[in-house]
Amino acid sequence: MRKFLATTCLAAGLFGLGTAASAQECGDVTIANMNWQSAEVLASVDKFILTEGYGCNAELVVGDTVPTITSMIEKGEPDIAPEGWVDLLPDVVKRGLEEGKIVAAATALSDGGVQGWWMPKYIADEHPDIKTIDDVLKHKELFPDPEDPSKGAVFNGPQGWGGTVVTTQLYKAYGAEEAGFTLVDTGSAAGLDGSVAKAYERKQGWVGYYWAPTALLGKYEMVKLDHGVPHDAAEWKRCNTVADCPDPKKNDWPKDTVQTLVTKAFADRAGPAMEYLNTRAWTNDVVNKLMAWMTDNQASGEEGAKHFLEENPDIWTKWVSPEVAEKVKAAL
């Protein structure tokens, strides 16, 4: 891709095309607006920067992971999937890349989509010896079960979530029941969030399943526990993700690759805009805080994007040239 960009820029220089022609080449561009908060705000950031900074005629279209990526490969539309959770359909993405239908741009979440067991930062600060799941299970008194304080508690997600299945299997694998911990079914996403909020407000211990990026982790500072073992992909597939597997082993939760995908047709005509899409990435910490602001202010993706661009020039100006940065700032 870098070679392609260098060739494009050289050609533009040779023929004196300049910025106006680059904008014309970019032309109409459709951006998949996925139906969750982090993806919505990233799509809106891309729309604003591509429109105001690169002169594209950018439009958001409704999207979701599987149908969007499948459509990009089979129909060549939409042009961009800003937050593609590619590990959810690895074979489809691999085929699209190999057949030259799509191009992998920046890793949108530089530290990946993260799932696992978390505890409040104030517990980590007070007990620096607690770093792993095994460490937690030695201290049931710090993570009391609300129903029975003589026991510890591991809070799980609602039924139907993949993370709930894995947490149940890890609870078995790490011997949490034998260590005196109860596995708490929180019943719903709201129930899980509520258990974190309640513990935080009372400065009590809490340990359980959660993921990033999320607004909740932007509001309540949490620390992800180390699993104490490397990731074993075969074992993960065999048992950690299978609800009725009787003998799960300790395992590390793999990070999800969250990649920006672009159709080959758009990549070929995007000019300098493609350099932006190859560079633009942010961390879970940045996204968590932005989503927390959006939740508190009931902000849309568009409002969240403008807030981010106004408050974080130190981050996004590194994604673009100084000339583009000035255009974006002028449009805010």
Side-chain angles (χ1 to χ4, degrees), residues 77-138:
E77 56 186 31
D79 296 302
I80 304 169
E83 192 179 295
W85 289 67
V86 298
D87 294 336
L88 293 173
L89 58 172
D91 295 338
V92 174
V93 172
K94 185 169 180 280
R95 176 171 62 84
L97 292 169
E98 288 174 349
E99 293 178 0
K101 302 290 181 62
I102 56 174
V103 171
T107 303
L109 283 175
S110 57
D111 42 3
V114 181
Q115 299 180 76
W117 290 16
W118 306 68
M119 66 179 178
K121 186 174 183 294
Y122 52 79
I123 296 289
D125 291 343
E126 290 167 13
H127 302 275
D129 56 313
I130 300 179
K131 297 183 183 301
T132 68
I133 291 175
D134 284 320
D135 293 339
V136 162
L137 297 179
K138 295 172 188 170

Side-chain angles (χ1 to χ4, degrees), residues 4-70:
F4 163 75
L5 284 168
T7 306
T8 303
C9 292
L10 177 62
L14 286 172
F15 294 101
L17 295 176
T19 308
S22 296
Q24 194 174 5
E25 286 167 15
C26 178
D28 295 337
V29 52
T30 48
I31 303 170
N33 189 21
M34 310 288 198
N35 60 354
W36 60 91
Q37 203 175 34
S38 61
E40 285 177 359
V41 71
L42 184 56
S44 290
V45 167
D46 284 351
K47 180 186 177 185
F48 197 93
I49 289 178
L50 290 174
T51 299
E52 304 298 342
Y54 294 93
C56 306
N57 180 28
E59 175 192 4
L60 297 183
V61 296
V62 176
D64 206 344
T65 302
V66 175
T68 292
I69 295 173
T70 303

Side-chain angles (χ1 to χ4, degrees), residues 196-197 200-201 214-222 285 287-293 295-296:
V196 174
Y200 232 89
E201 283 154 14
T214 44
L216 185 113
L217 294 190
K219 187 171 184 179
Y220 302 114
E221 204 167 356
M222 305 284 278
D285 186 52
V287 184
N288 290 342
K289 288 180 170 62
L290 177 56
M291 290 166 67
W293 179 88
T295 300
D296 288 345

